[in-house]
Amino acid sequence: MTRAEPLVLGIETSCDETGVGIVRGRTLLTNTVATSMDEHVRFGGVVPEVASRAHVQSIGPMIEKALADAGVTLDDLDALAVTAGPGLSGALMVGAAAAKGLAASTGLPLYGINHLAAHVAVDLVAPDSPGLHTPTIALLVSGGHTEILRIGDIVDDIELLGATIDDAAGEAFDKTARLLGLDYPGGPSISRAAAGLLDESGVPGDPTAVRFPRGLSTKKDLRDPERRFSFSFSGLKTAALRTVTAAEAAVSAQPTGTSAASSPRAPRLADIAASFEEAVVDVLVKKTLLACEDTGIDHVLLGGGVAANARLRERLAERCEAAGVTLRIPPLGLCTDNGAMVAALGAEIAARGNAASGLEFGVLSSLEVDDVLV
């Protein structure tokens, strides 16, 4: 084993996935994930205490399974890595405690690393990747994060260009899905509704049927350096509530016996869903391409659970191609929270000879993105 190819086990517990990944240098050996998503469905979103309890129950079996799947033992490992933030404090503590216990018992160096940087670093080990391209603009979109990053170097040069000032995009999908009576997680449900798969017609929704607002996208916003790359989805969420409320009122106000042809037409579920999805995607794509334009970087990496949204991938690909920008989307299983991305970043840091974190570090729910190693 050369120092350039350390064997690293990574642990990820920032939200509702318990992920354990093992990499050898830049080769992915296993990406083992257990999710507690089903336990959160009845609440319509992630409940931190439920997530933490699920991590406690899953972490041991997931570590054992990852080692078995990779065909290695703890004695074979060169280092450990764990997400130290950002994320849910209680959930992060479970992963950190497990990693520190392993480090104390084995004497292995432990790296506490940044969740956001890890989402980008996963492309170091993606089976279909030629390697992480830098510099790149990274768009990270999930239930907990919506950020645009400039990546000059995955360890030493990460800059936050913009982030959401309220809800993350995934969270906005979840809350709006609940307004529409759709299941959690909201992103996939709204996409199915937008495609016309949740009504009897099967006709896709019209993304122009409802003119939803695009947060922080006025000319004034885009001229403001503090708002140019920032996102806001709270106004969009409020507009969705008003649209749903108005549609319900219109239906209930119809006199008994009124024909559908003679009554005002309320937007279909598919139309509302498609228009909402388009509003979110429009802002994400527009600001990502602005970041490319301002920085002169012609490469974009998309990560996070919302990368699974087909409309986002389609629109981003179209706009990138038109602008001469290369778009990279890792396999969707590596876009969502997982241990492979933690192991990948840990292996990169270890290969460079950086000092380990030790056992004294604490988790930070709001860890800044440029703090790659704590």
Side-chain angles (χ1 to χ4, degrees):
M1 174 65 60
T2 65
R3 188 173 182 78
E5 293 190 335
L7 183 64
V8 179
L9 180 147
I11 296 174
E12 156 60 28
T13 61
S14 66
C15 192
D16 60 339
E17 278 90 21
T18 307
V20 181
I22 300 176
V23 305
R24 190 187 303 277
R26 296 187 176 181
T27 301
L28 177 60
L29 301 184
T30 186
N31 183 33
T32 305
V33 180
T35 180
S36 60
M37 182 180 295
D38 290 346
E39 299 179 44
H40 302 283
V41 169
R42 62 192 177 103
F43 301 106
V46 175
V47 179
E49 290 185 5
V50 174
S52 298
R53 184 166 60 249
H55 288 311
V56 170
Q57 295 170 343
S58 298
I59 190 67
M62 286 299 98
I63 291 172
E64 292 178 358
K65 185 176 188 306
L67 291 168
D69 290 348
V72 301
T73 68
L74 288 174
D75 291 337
D76 296 323
L77 298 175
D78 295 304
L80 303 164
V82 65
T83 300
L88 302 174
S89 294
L92 290 167
M93 288 179 185
V94 177
K100 289 179 180 182
L102 287 176
S105 63
T106 61
L108 290 170
L110 172 62
Y111 299 92
I113 60 93
N114 190 295
H115 175 84
L116 301 179
H119 266 303
V120 180
V122 76
D123 214 30
L124 289 166
V125 299
D128 66 336
S129 173
L132 177 64
H133 183 283
T134 54
T136 189
I137 295 297
L139 172 63
L140 304 183
V141 195
S142 69
H145 302 285
T146 304
E147 288 97 358
I148 297 177
L149 311 178
R150 181 195 61 78
I151 312 292
D153 179 86
I154 192 57
V155 176
D156 298 323
D157 184 13
I158 299 181
E159 178 186 5
L160 176 66
L161 298 181
T164 181
I165 64 173
D166 41 57
D167 290 338
E171 186 180 6
F173 272 119
D174 290 340
K175 292 179 178 178
T176 301
R178 193 156 60 243
L179 291 175
L180 296 173
L182 304 178
D183 292 337
Y184 173 83
S189 292
I190 286 180
S191 290
R192 288 195 295 272
L197 301 179
L198 299 185
D199 60 30
E200 296 180 358
S201 72
V203 177
D206 178 2
T208 66
V210 182
R211 180 58 187 175
F212 283 124
R214 272 64 169 164
L216 300 184
S217 293
T218 67
K219 290 182 179 179
K220 181 179 179 181
D221 291 323
L222 298 181
R223 287 195 300 266
D224 185 343
E226 298 296 321
R227 301 163 77 87
R228 185 170 174 82
F229 304 121
S230 297
F231 301 96
S232 173
F233 297 105
S234 61
L236 172 60
K237 196 176 54 182
T238 300
L241 173 61
R242 290 173 177 164
T243 299
V244 172
T245 301
E248 292 173 344
V251 171
S252 63
Q254 291 178 7
T256 303
T258 301
S259 68
S262 62
S263 61
R265 180 179 178 273
R268 296 167 52 224
L269 169 63
D271 291 339
I272 297 174
S275 298
F276 180 86
E277 182 177 58
E278 192 73 6
V280 174
V281 168
D282 192 29
V283 175
L284 293 173
V285 171
K286 181 175 186 176
K287 297 211 168 196
T288 301
L289 270 295
L290 279 175
C292 290
E293 181 181 326
D294 285 8
T295 61
I297 295 173
D298 62 357
H299 192 279
V300 168
L301 183 142
L302 174 63
V306 181
N309 183 279
R311 185 58 178 158
L312 174 58
R313 298 199 309 274
E314 176 187 8
R315 283 287 308 282
L316 190 57
E318 290 172 353
R319 288 290 305 279
C320 283
E321 182 177 8
V325 172
T326 300
L327 173 63
R328 168 64 186 160
I329 307 175
L332 294 183
L334 296 179
C335 286
T336 55
D337 293 348
N338 62 83
M341 67 187 200
V342 179
L345 183 52
E348 181 68 13
I349 293 171
R352 296 187 185 194
N354 292 41
S357 301
L359 302 181
E360 299 78 21
F361 71 88
V363 299
L364 296 167
S365 61
S366 56
L367 183 64
E368 297 293 336
V369 68
D370 54 349
D371 291 327
V372 176
L373 175 65
V374 300

